[in-house]
Amino acid sequence: QVQLVESGGGLVQAGGSLTLSCAASGSFSSINNMAWYHQAPGKQRHLVAVITSGGSINYADSVKGRFTISRDNAKNTVYLQMNSLKPEDTAVYYCYSIVLARDGRTYQYWGQGTQVTVSS
């Protein structure tokens, strides 16, 4: 079993910055993709950014140039640096990982979510 523990959410004024972290723990062989999603109240969950084990990165158009995803494979941790935050970035942010288990199968895991609120 793998657990994803997120931290770093909070309240910030528009134009400010926050950094989210998500650490994976448990028994597994390796972590493939790591990603961040967000979900605003009453809306569907959407991909914000994804980073593969090889370091390839993709961002949602709405965050390009403002957010940066990175990972530390030694710490099994993914980060999301969020700059120039806008009120429309307000959402619960979820960490997501595809993990290669010791049984050779891949599994998907979600974190519990962390609230990001951007005030105008």
Side-chain angles (χ1 to χ4, degrees):
Q1 186 71 1
V2 174
Q3 287 189 324
L4 302 179
V5 179
E6 298 143 343
S7 60
L11 173 64
V12 64
Q13 289 188 330
S17 299
L18 283 174
T19 300
L20 306 182
S21 300
C22 172
S25 63
S27 178
F28 51 87
S29 293
S30 63
I31 301 176
N32 295 345
N33 291 6
M34 302 186 84
W36 290 95
Y37 284 72
H38 67 191
Q39 186 170 18
K43 296 188 177 181
Q44 291 185 328
R45 193 172 297 187
H46 292 288
L47 177 67
V48 175
V50 58
I51 182 168
T52 69
S53 57
S56 296
I57 292 172
N58 278 294
Y59 295 100
D61 288 342
S62 60
V63 307
K64 284 180 180 177
R66 300 188 298 121
F67 290 11
T68 302
I69 190 171
S70 61
R71 62 190 286 173
D72 184 335
N73 291 327
K75 296 182 179 180
N76 296 319
T77 299
V78 63
Y79 305 94
L80 186 67
Q81 173 68 44
M82 305 184 292
N83 299 325
S84 302
L85 282 161
K86 305 175 181 179
E88 51 264 42
D89 295 320
T90 295
V92 178
Y93 284 71
Y94 295 92
C95 177
Y96 168 84
S97 289
I98 298 176
V99 175
L100 178 62
R102 299 192 187 281
D103 62 5
R105 301 175 65 179
T106 58
Y107 296 85
Q108 302 176 58
Y109 293 94
W110 290 93
Q112 79 283 1
T114 185
Q115 177 70 45
V116 171
T117 303
V118 185
S119 63
S120 58

